Structures are given as structure tokens and as C-alpha cells.
Amino acid sequence: MRPLSLLLVLALALGACAPSRSAVETPAPSTTGPDVEAQRAAARRANQPLASAPDSWWLLDVVTDGVDGIAVERAYRELLAGKKPRRTVVVAVIDGGVDIRHEDLDDVIWVNEDEVPGNGKDDDGNGYIDDVHGWNFIGGRDGRHVHHDTYEVTRLYAACRTNGGKGTAPDGSPCDRIEAAYREERAEKEQFLFQLREIDMALDHFTALLRAELGKDSLTVADVRSIASPRYEVQEAKRMYLMLAEQGITPALVKRELQNLQNLIDYGLDPEFDPRDIVGDDYADVTERFYGNADVVGPDASHGTHVAGIIAAERGNGIGIDGIATSVRIMPIRAVPDGDERDKDVANAIRYAVDNGAHIINMSFGKGFSPNKAAVDDAVRYAESKGVLIVHAAGNDGADLGSEPSFPSRFYADGDSARLWIEVGASSWQGADNLAASFSNYGRGHVHVFAPGVDIYSTVPGNAYEANSGTSMAAPVVSGLAALIMAYYPELDAAEVKRIILETATPYAGRRVVRPGSDGDRVDFAELSATGGIVNAFAALRMADQVARRKR
């Protein structure tokens, strides 16, 4: 998935920058979950803006805490106290890698008990040598990795260039459309880069002023708040610094994102760049399954580690954060480079997860084109045939998925759709008319439900932690909730778990919110997804208990 652009966040903070498919199934109103009117009343009480994100806000409850979280802590406190999980749930994280030695994850990483570590043999006969903790589909047998890769539109543009720009691309799109999309993408990124450089220089100027005013080499929020200088330029620098700090944006972060954006231009949009020879597969053969290596960390596991922590960071260990689920194991599968993932790798990652015992697959990635969609569709159908739930991030373009599709998609090429699939948009702690995250994709016919995805504090490599935003963070909130339900109620199948999650989402119908990606247009929150709600762990677990009791 294209990462949430820091430039977009800056633009929103500063105000400075720059045919529909078949409908999503709409759940019936819950009659067994919490009282809908009580939920609505709580939502109205929470319809007040907050000054800053409360600690672990996504775990809090709109009823007891007045924060639009998913009530995880309330569920543990009031519903699960004294109970023990009845099984271990395996969640496959298809991503860019996971730091399996992180202090808050090392005890929740999946282990293939039938594989002998490091002996160079395929002990369990599954076709993957030494896959003790998962698999890397974008690595070579020699231990090398694909780090950077191109965007899918770049690959299609490169293919069209071999035909002189005429005819159709491998996905069937007219080459003139692909060329236009490529040039638009490149122009947008180059403009972003220019703007971000301007912002970087401005931040350098502001921080230099503030350091001089304080007589210090480093700055803290408390220090900057204490500044009482009457000088206009100092007060302006103070205002900007505190505004950005509230969004978790620092000068160092801006410089890091500058480099990331430069890499996207240098690699992602270079039609001459192709790192696939590192993998050593027959790339044209989408049926080929056994390639890659066993290193599930890779060169940059930041994104996948953050996702894994949201789902399953060790609870109650006194360090770091608490994940949503307990009694869970994370199966890392590396298939997402810095650039767009390839359909062949996504399809194989899904199949690997299913064949090796995953109950849930989290997919926090996406792209605008899918030349080998049939291979991915087949893999999704395979997962569904085995009862595996897929949770997918809706994307960060602030777009209506009904008019701007994103892949992978639960809609098959033949017009049918996956039933064990939850498409997730991102909500914000800011509440009120900013309840929907400004960057989130949306669409009543395509997005099922929203979940917290702004300023989510989680694990990153090197025993570190940081706050990130994106639908990439919202999807693992739902994956974590699904795993929590499955752990305590193993008699429920994936279809029942999906139904429970959607039917018990806290409804926000009637709440007028800023439509994501707009300049302030208001829309009913109910128009943004099939449920018009945000997932609710307390309500879901209460309903799960009732459904499970009827089955026993």
C-alpha cells in the first residue's frame, strides 16, 4: 500500500498544500448486541473535539471513556475477567517484514514446529526450506532481498513502451490510459517532493529560532510552550512547532519522509528499474509457488512490525504497549516491498498462510492496478474454501472506492465477491466532524466498517515504538478483534465472526463528518461504509458469547 503521505498530514494540519460494483452486504441491526439507542447517545456525548490523542485511545470506549475507540479494555475488564482463551489463533501478516525479536513480539511469533531451524531442509515437506517463522516471497535463495520496487503503473508503462505505447497493457488497460496515469503519478510525486522540501526548510528555520530563544540545542514541547517572547516571528515559530507536535510530526520525521519520497521517485517511478532478478523465479509463471527465502524480517520491517504490534503485542508484560488480542501467534509473510507488491507474490502469500494454519490474514497494502488479478482471486477463493478470514485496509487516498478501485479487492473479475473478507476504513480520535480519518478511502458499496487508524502507537524494529496513521493501522485493529473473538469462542466460524463484528459496530448514522479527501464537504458518516459504524470489541464479544451459547 502506498504509505500515508506525510505531506498530506502536513497539508491537513497547516492548510498549506496542495461505474459501481455490487454492493457490500449490509448487516441487519443487532438485536443481541448493546442497545443501539444507548450507543447512539454515547456517540452524541462523544461528539466533542479532543485536544490531543489519549494514550492507547483505540482501546478505549465511547461509553465509559468518551473516546471513539473500540472498547477493548472494557471488554477485558467486564466480559473476559476470570475467563481463559480456549485456543491459540494464528494471524498471518502479509507485509514488508516483521521484527520477530522485538521485546513486545518475540513471544507471540508463530513457530512451525515441524521445521528444524537452519538445517537447509524442507523438514515438513511443505515446499519451503527452513520456514520456521514464515516465508519471504521477495527474497532470493542467496539471502538477498527486494527492498525497493516499482509501482504497478510503472511496470505497466514499461511494458507498453516495448510496444511503442500502442495497444493494451498486461492488465488489459489501453496503453494511452496507462501512460497518462504514470505521468500523473510522477508529476504528483515531484510536486509533493518540492512542497515537502519547502516545508523542511521552513521547519529548519522555525526550530533554529526556537533554539536560539531558549538557548538550547534541543527542543521539547514543554520548553516551547514556555516561550513568552513578544516577537512575532518567535510566536509564529512556536505556533507551528506545537501544531506539528500535536500531529506527531518532527523535523527528523520530515527529513525521513523526504528521503522516502525521493526513493519512490528514484525507484518506484523508474521504468528502467527492475529488481526481480534478486528473487530468481520465473516471474511470468504465476502458478509457480516455491521461491524466496525464510528471512521474514527483510531490510525494512517497520510497517509490518507496527501492524503486528497492534494485533498482538504482549499484554501485561509491563513494557511497550498492549495488543488487542491474547492467545495469538503472528505468522510473518514478506510480500510487500517499498513500492507496489506483485500479484504473484500476494497470491502465494495467501496460499502459504492458509496451508500453514492461519485463521486470519491481515493485508495492509493495496495498489491501483492488478495485471494478474485472476491469480489473486483464485488464492482468495482458496482461503475462503478453508474458512480463513481476510481483513484488508481500504487505502489512504481519501477516495470513493466505487469510482477509484484499489487492489487486491474482494470483487472477483467474474462479478462474484469474497464473503470471508472485511474491508476497513480508518477513524480518528478527534471525533466530532473529524471522526473519519481525512485520508481514508471509503464507500458504502465497498468498505464494510471503520476502525481506529490515526496516531496508533505500536511496535517498530529495534525494541522501539512510534505512532503511525493509515488504514494500514485500522485493518490490524479489526484483525486483532477477530482473533480475540476466535480465541475465546472457537466454536464460531469465520463467517460468524465477520457477521458479529459488523453487526455490533457502534453506529454513527446522523453524524455529519468531513468527507475524506475533501476540502471540508460534510457527509453523514453512515454514507462512508456498509455499517456506518466503528468496530466495538465490547459489543462484539457480548454477542459472540450469546451466539456461542446457542451453539453449544
Side-chain angles (χ1 to χ4, degrees), residues 139-169:
R141 291 188 181 277
D142 59 1
R144 292 187 298 157
H145 300 277
V146 173
H147 183 184
H148 304 288
D149 205 342
T150 47
Y151 284 160
E152 195 67 70
V153 70
T154 307
R155 296 192 281 267
L156 294 174
Y157 172 65
C160 281
R161 288 205 310 178
T162 64
N163 299 326
K166 300 178 181 180
T168 59

Side-chain angles (χ1 to χ4, degrees), residues 409-526:
S409 166
R410 69 184 185 84
F411 296 105
Y412 300 133
D414 64 8
D416 198 2
S417 62
R419 289 159 182 79
L420 298 184
W421 180 297
I422 302 178
E423 190 79 8
V424 186
S427 60
S428 169
W429 55 267
Q430 293 170 305
D433 60 354
N434 291 314
L435 182 63
S438 56
F439 52 79
S440 180
N441 287 349
Y442 60 92
R444 177 176 274 184
H446 291 74
V447 175
H448 288 102
V449 72
F450 275 60
V454 175
D455 295 333
I456 307 298
Y457 190 70
S458 186
T459 48
V460 290
N463 293 335
Y465 304 83
E466 68 181 31
N468 287 323
S469 299
T471 57
S472 284
M473 284 67 252
V477 169
V478 177
S479 293
L481 172 55
L484 183 60
I485 296 170
M486 290 181 180
Y488 280 85
Y489 300 101
E491 54 270 89
L492 302 180
D493 62 27
E496 290 169 316
V497 170
K498 174 187 172 180
R499 180 175 65 85
I500 287 167
I501 289 173
L502 299 188
E503 289 189 4
T504 59
T506 303
Y508 286 89
R511 170 80 67 88
R512 302 291 292 179
V513 300
V514 176
R515 178 168 52 82
S518 76
D519 292 327
D521 299 340
R522 262 56 174 184
V523 65
D524 192 320
F525 190 80

Side-chain angles (χ1 to χ4, degrees), residues 11 17 31 122 172 273 295 340 381 394 426 457 476 546:
C17 298
T31 57
D122 179 19
F273 178 64
D295 185 346
D340 277 350
R381 282 191 167 100
Y457 190 70
Q546 294 167 349

Side-chain angles (χ1 to χ4, degrees), residues 326-358:
T326 189
S327 192
V328 64
R329 293 293 178 267
I330 296 295
M331 178 191 291
I333 307 176
R334 188 166 181 266
V336 184
D338 184 2
D340 277 350
E341 61 283 350
R342 298 178 184 239
D343 293 336
K344 176 179 180 178
D345 302 328
V346 172
N348 282 326
I350 292 171
R351 289 181 179 276
Y352 178 92
V354 174
D355 288 342
N356 288 279

Side-chain angles (χ1 to χ4, degrees), residues 146-344:
V146 173
H147 183 184
H148 304 288
D149 205 342
T150 47
Y151 284 160
E152 195 67 70
V153 70
T154 307
R155 296 192 281 267
L156 294 174
Y157 172 65
C160 281
R161 288 205 310 178
T162 64
N163 299 326
K166 300 178 181 180
T168 59
D171 72 333
S173 300
C175 278
D176 56 355
R177 178 193 165 210
I178 293 297
E179 180 175 359
Y182 169 78
R183 295 195 182 284
E184 180 182 359
E185 185 83 42
R186 189 173 188 93
E188 178 186 79
K189 292 297 184 290
E190 288 174 345
Q191 179 66 14
F192 278 6
L193 183 63
F194 173 79
Q195 292 174 308
L196 199 52
R197 282 174 176 159
E198 293 288 308
I199 292 169
D200 180 49
M201 287 190 291
L203 282 175
D204 284 346
H205 175 66
F206 291 149
T207 54
L209 274 175
L210 297 173
R211 285 196 300 266
E213 181 69 23
L214 290 166
K216 293 184 175 182
D217 293 331
S218 60
L219 300 174
T220 67
V221 170
D223 287 339
V224 173
R225 284 201 177 113
S226 72
I227 293 175
S229 171
R231 294 167 56 203
Y232 171 78
E233 63 269 27
V234 174
Q235 285 300 316
E236 185 67 8
K238 173 183 175 180
R239 183 184 72 83
M240 297 295 290
Y241 181 93
L242 293 176
M243 183 184 298
L244 294 174
E246 184 176 295
Q247 302 293 326
I249 297 170
T250 65
L253 179 59
V254 171
K255 292 186 186 301
R256 187 176 78 187
E257 290 303 306
L258 259 177
Q259 185 59 57
N260 289 341
L261 190 53
Q262 186 66 61
N263 287 340
L264 288 177
I265 293 172
D266 291 344
Y267 298 104
L269 291 167
D270 180 1
E272 303 295 334
F273 178 64
D274 184 2
R276 193 64 186 190
D277 64 318
I278 291 173
V279 178
D281 64 326
D282 179 2
Y283 180 58
D285 181 5
V286 294
T287 67
E288 181 185 13
R289 294 190 55 198
F290 305 110
Y291 58 90
N293 64 45
D295 185 346
V296 297
V297 180
D300 183 1
S302 298
H303 189 274
T305 303
H306 200 272
V307 166
I310 295 168
I311 299 168
E314 298 163 29
R315 293 186 61 86
N317 64 354
I319 58 175
I321 63 165
D322 284 343
I324 291 171
T326 189
S327 192
V328 64
R329 293 293 178 267
I330 296 295
M331 178 191 291
I333 307 176
R334 188 166 181 266
V336 184
D338 184 2
D340 277 350
E341 61 283 350
R342 298 178 184 239
D343 293 336
K344 176 179 180 178

